[in-house]
Amino acid sequence: MDGILPLYKERGMTSNDAVIKCRKIFKTRKIGHSGTLDPEVDGVLPICVGKATKVVNYLMDSGKVYKGEITLGFATTTEDLEGEVISKVKLSEPFSDEKINEILSSFIGDIIQVPPIYSAIKVNGKKLYEYARAGEKVDIPERRVHIEYFKQIFPSKFDKEKGQQTIYFEVGCGKGTYVRTLAVDVGKKLGVPAVMSDLTRLKSGGFQIGMAKSLSQLEKLAHENKLSESLYPIDYAVKDLPKYNLKLEQWKIVKNGGFLPVNTFKENYDRVNLFYDNRIRCIYQYNEEKNRYQSERMIDLS
């Protein structure tokens, strides 16, 4: 069974937990996810099954959409509610929604982030959270990420008794963005400590949350021998690339890793999906220096 499963990952489990459960349901070890979701974050987690594991990176490169909450008034070690409170300020009055909109808009475009110390990014072969747990200092490398949009979806709420304000947001962002860090940086621009207090991933790999199946739904489909209904074709991961159906002689060349002449296609493509017998077989890219098309990713040579 080959294809892409848009899984609805529930809260309370790691992305690796979800993969392990899917391996049991699909009865195969050849399963991988396309980008982690923190245990207390729910939402869309694309899972690649069988030969679809060859296109994991293409799914990871796609944009993502999240909705969530930012609470102003305190900050934590982990930048979410799982960590210890390290800073607290009681707000005497709320920020206006106009001011909040102005701050959120200021993040749109390419920005520089310093990822949270409690993250799985590796520095010198060791994950950042391992440094944090050991109490060791480490230089965290900055990264450039892209924010497509960042907006309020409901009016903010102010808790006068606690001196805290909650912002309800939606953000469309590129690969590598830490929404926890966005929340903290919103607070910094407002001059107060902040934390990401809730998060749901609405879209990833081109899959909307409404397309996702939960583990309980998968178990039911498995019991009914209908698991294949949960899978999208492998080429869904690269559906925005042009498609070309190979002739038999071309397929023989491609199957052996051969090159295709530049005049193979009617148009000049940077990259193209190559199909044979109604299945995606590989992705070829144009080599400008050698003026030919060559393999970028082999997927299915069976």
Side-chain angles (χ1 to χ4, degrees):
M1 209 178 296
D2 306 301
I4 306 169
L5 163 71
L7 177 72
Y8 172 72
K9 188 193 82 68
E10 299 172 5
R11 301 189 181 197
M13 69 167 63
T14 66
S15 297
N16 192 52
D17 290 337
V19 167
I20 291 170
K21 290 181 182 295
C22 285
R23 283 175 178 162
K24 290 179 180 177
I25 293 171
F26 283 89
K27 297 180 180 178
T28 178
R29 289 196 54 80
K30 204 170 182 182
I31 285 182
H33 63 71
S34 60
T36 59
L37 272 181
D38 290 338
E40 295 311 310
V41 177
D42 65 338
V44 185
L45 179 65
I47 300 278
C48 293
V49 180
K51 293 185 177 73
T53 53
K54 300 284 184 68
V55 296
V56 164
N57 287 341
Y58 296 96
L59 288 171
M60 291 179 71
D61 287 341
S62 68
K64 298 173 178 61
V65 175
Y66 297 86
K67 72 171 182 177
E69 300 174 8
I70 300 169
T71 297
L72 307 176
F74 70 99
T76 70
T77 51
T78 58
E79 303 184 346
D80 59 17
L81 298 182
E82 297 301 297
E84 297 176 9
V85 176
I86 54 174
S87 178
K88 200 168 187 178
V89 172
K90 190 170 184 178
L91 306 183
S92 57
E93 59 182 33
F95 292 96
S96 69
D97 283 331
E98 289 74 20
K99 180 62 178 178
I100 292 169
N101 288 333
E102 176 190 327
I103 295 299
L104 298 189
S105 296
S106 71
F107 287 92
I108 295 173
D110 289 340
I111 63 169
I112 300 296
Q113 276 195 332
V114 178
I117 184 66
Y118 281 91
S119 63
I121 294 172
K122 286 189 175 181
V123 174
N124 298 324
K126 191 173 177 179
K127 293 177 181 177
L128 285 180
Y129 66 74
E130 292 175 332
Y131 286 102
R133 290 171 182 171
E136 299 173 359
K137 290 186 177 181
V138 61
D139 290 327
I140 304 176
E142 295 179 338
R143 56 167 58 184
R144 184 181 296 274
V145 298
H146 183 75
I147 307 301
E148 188 69 28
Y149 68 89
F150 195 13
K151 65 181 183 181
Q152 290 193 86
I153 51 176
F154 303 113
S156 63
K157 288 184 179 178
F158 182 60
D159 187 323
K160 189 174 182 180
E161 186 177 331
K162 290 183 177 180
Q164 297 174 0
Q165 185 173 3
T166 301
I167 298 168
Y168 304 93
F169 71 90
E170 184 177 306
V171 61
C173 53
K175 177 183 178 182
T177 304
Y178 273 90
V179 183
R180 282 183 281 157
T181 302
L182 266 183
V184 170
D185 289 344
V186 166
K188 287 178 180 177
K189 286 198 175 188
L190 289 168
V192 297
V195 67
M196 186 194 76
S197 46
D198 189 72
L199 194 66
T200 295
R201 188 193 276 168
L202 299 177
K203 182 180 178 181
S204 179
F207 296 101
Q208 305 276 357
I209 196 166
M211 302 164 72
K213 293 281 192 294
S214 66
L215 288 170
S216 60
Q217 288 175 311
L218 290 177
E219 288 168 347
K220 182 181 179 183
L221 287 172
H223 182 71
E224 298 170 349
N225 293 318
K226 295 179 180 178
L227 259 184
S228 60
E229 293 181 7
S230 67
L231 298 178
Y232 285 75
I234 298 172
D235 54 286
Y236 192 92
V238 286
K239 63 183 185 301
D240 293 333
L241 293 181
K243 173 182 174 180
Y244 179 81
N245 291 303
L246 295 165
K247 300 178 179 63
L248 178 58
E249 291 305 312
Q250 293 171 324
W251 168 233
K252 289 178 180 178
I253 294 170
V254 167
K255 192 173 184 179
N256 291 299
F259 310 123
L260 294 177
V262 70
N263 62 357
T264 299
F265 315 110
K266 291 181 180 179
E267 298 182 44
N268 295 324
Y269 301 128
D270 290 328
R271 296 149 79 210
V272 58
N273 293 330
L274 299 182
F275 279 68
Y276 181 72
D277 195 25
N278 296 318
R279 279 187 286 169
I280 188 171
R281 302 297 183 157
C282 53
I283 299 166
Y284 262 42
Q285 62 181 344
Y286 176 60
N287 185 321
E288 186 174 3
E289 182 183 341
K290 297 183 178 179
N291 196 33
R292 70 190 185 194
Y293 284 91
Q294 61 192 44
S295 170
E296 177 179 285
R297 174 68 66 182
M298 305 304 283
I299 298 170
D300 184 356
L301 301 181
S302 60

